[in-house]
Amino acid sequence: MKIGIVFAGQGAQYSGMGKDLYEAYPEAQRIFDMAGQQIKDWCFEGDEETLKQTHVTQPTIYTTTMAAYEALMAELKKQQLDGSLEVTAFAGFSLGEYSALTAAGAIDDIAKGIDIVTKRGMLMQQAGLDEDGNAKGGMAAGLGDRDAILEAVEEAREDGILEGVNFNSPKQTVVAGDKAALKRFRRAAKARGVKAIPLGVSTAFHSPMMVPAAEKLRDVLAVAELKAPERTVYADVTADDMMRDFDGSDAGAYLTDMLAKQAMSPVYWEEIIRRFEADGVKAIIEVGPGKTLTGLTKKTCPDIEAYNVENVETLQAAVAALKELV
């Protein structure tokens, strides 16, 4: 049976994430122990305000996600399901793309992945602050028709920064920009019958505001010795095989370019889920904190079964469900 595996992005972090996986699965314990005491403390006992800091959020979610993935793979093997399931591709939402690339072998060491995403978090956080250290921008979820939301973006941008940046589902498009432009967007959206909900994030991710972060992230990635993935990974920026345009020369340089571009470009998540459906995927498993991607899968392609794996309970429930499907 064909399945897809997708990896959670930033925003679903919570205190205690991964703790029961650490206690139940040696595979998860190994990853948390390798990550170090600071990350374990943040994951298991960190308060809400600490976990909201981007340079903390990114390595903690990445570590928890990879621990959950390794535990899931161990359980599938234990239940003798690994031979019955064909993973057609991986994908990850923003930060989750680094987990997808790790699962696919492009990032060949989890410690390396933690280092990359920690630096990525710091760079993205810095890019979103003004000279006084205050957030320059933010994000809002537009609930309604995509075309109407993008019309409101065009009307409200004026001379500021404002873009549609997360195309999540047929009825959800996230917009990012500077504070003044977002205020104008909310008015323009309301006039079109679109509900705009401000998101609790620190800046305008995946927008032109992230250009300085992307340029510096390129330097981080250039020395990370990234490799061509051993499995297909669908890229956020194209909703297609990340290696589609690779000419076979330097995989590290190619992936550096793709991931730097990702930090300042839209995420085409609805199109990724539709790509899985076109591939004949029968179930999508979301790995990592929360179940946002599971919900988006159901809204976009309701015929695909969707499960999330973030703790022991959800892992075992997902494996049991897959056993029934097989």
Side-chain angles (χ1 to χ4, degrees):
M1 184 179 75
K2 291 183 177 181
I3 66 170
I5 297 180
V6 300
F7 297 90
Q10 193 168 331
Q13 64 276 1
Y14 56 87
S15 184
M17 58 183 176
K19 188 173 183 180
D20 67 341
L21 290 169
Y22 177 85
E23 295 168 347
Y25 288 93
E27 296 81 7
Q29 185 178 94
R30 177 182 64 82
I31 289 173
F32 275 111
D33 286 345
M34 179 274 301
Q37 194 61 45
Q38 178 67 87
I39 287 178
K40 277 199 291 188
D41 288 345
W42 281 335
C43 290
F44 300 165
E45 301 171 10
D47 60 73
E48 184 178 350
E49 285 306 310
T50 298
L51 289 169
K52 277 183 181 178
Q53 297 178 44
T54 306
H55 72 284
V56 174
T57 310
Q58 296 206 18
T60 54
I61 288 183
Y62 174 83
T63 300
T64 301
T65 298
M66 295 316 303
Y69 174 73
E70 292 296 333
L72 172 63
M73 292 299 102
E75 190 64 33
L76 289 174
K77 186 174 183 179
K78 179 181 176 182
Q79 299 296 329
Q80 299 182 327
L81 284 172
D82 51 326
S84 304
L85 301 173
E86 176 190 348
V87 180
T88 63
F90 297 112
F93 194 101
S94 188
L95 168 65
E97 193 157 83
Y98 289 79
S99 298
L101 287 167
T102 304
I107 298 173
D108 60 1
D109 180 70
I110 291 174
K112 181 190 293 184
I114 291 171
D115 180 62
I116 293 170
V117 301
T118 299
K119 291 172 179 173
R120 178 181 185 265
M122 294 174 68
L123 292 171
M124 293 177 80
Q125 185 166 300
Q126 290 165 2
L129 300 177
D130 62 21
E131 295 175 353
D132 298 321
N134 299 314
K136 295 188 292 186
M139 302 174 79
L143 305 182
D145 179 73
R146 181 191 288 193
D147 289 340
I149 293 167
L150 294 181
E151 287 174 6
V153 168
E154 291 300 318
E155 177 185 320
R157 184 184 298 114
E158 297 184 7
D159 60 351
I161 291 175
L162 190 69
E163 300 291 341
V165 297
N166 297 160
F167 298 102
N168 290 343
S169 75
K171 294 297 181 181
Q172 185 187 115
T173 299
V174 173
V175 172
D178 63 76
K179 290 183 176 181
L182 281 171
K183 188 174 181 178
R184 294 192 297 269
F185 168 73
R186 288 194 289 271
R187 290 197 298 267
K190 185 177 181 180
R192 289 168 170 77
V194 171
K195 187 175 183 180
I197 303 174
L199 300 181
V201 296
S202 58
T203 191
F205 297 120
H206 295 286
S207 77
M209 199 176 287
M210 291 294 106
V211 170
E215 292 172 350
K216 293 175 182 176
L217 178 60
R218 188 182 297 277
D219 294 335
V220 173
L221 294 164
V223 296
E225 299 182 345
L226 303 175
K227 297 174 170 58
E230 298 164 5
R231 308 282 287 275
T232 300
V233 177
Y234 291 143
D236 287 347
V237 300
T238 64
D240 201 348
D241 184 347
M242 184 173 287
M243 306 302 287
R244 180 188 65 187
D245 300 320
F246 178 50
D247 64 6
S249 57
D250 187 338
Y254 177 85
L255 288 170
T256 291
D257 185 62
M258 289 292 291
L259 290 171
K261 188 183 298 181
Q262 185 243 48
M264 59 182 182
S265 302
V267 174
Y268 290 96
W269 195 255
E270 177 186 344
E271 285 78 359
I272 286 174
I273 297 303
R274 294 195 187 282
R275 178 63 188 266
F276 277 119
E277 184 179 49
D279 289 341
V281 162
K282 300 301 181 186
I284 289 179
I285 305 170
E286 173 185 6
V287 181
K291 51 185 178 181
T292 299
L293 305 183
T294 302
L296 294 177
T297 297
K298 292 176 179 177
K299 290 176 181 176
T300 303
C301 295
D303 291 337
I304 296 179
E305 299 294 333
Y307 313 105
N308 74 301
V309 172
E310 63 177 320
N311 52 32
V312 172
E313 180 183 2
T314 53
L315 188 157
Q316 293 179 348
V319 170
L322 289 170
K323 209 168 188 177
E324 288 293 322
L325 287 176
V326 170

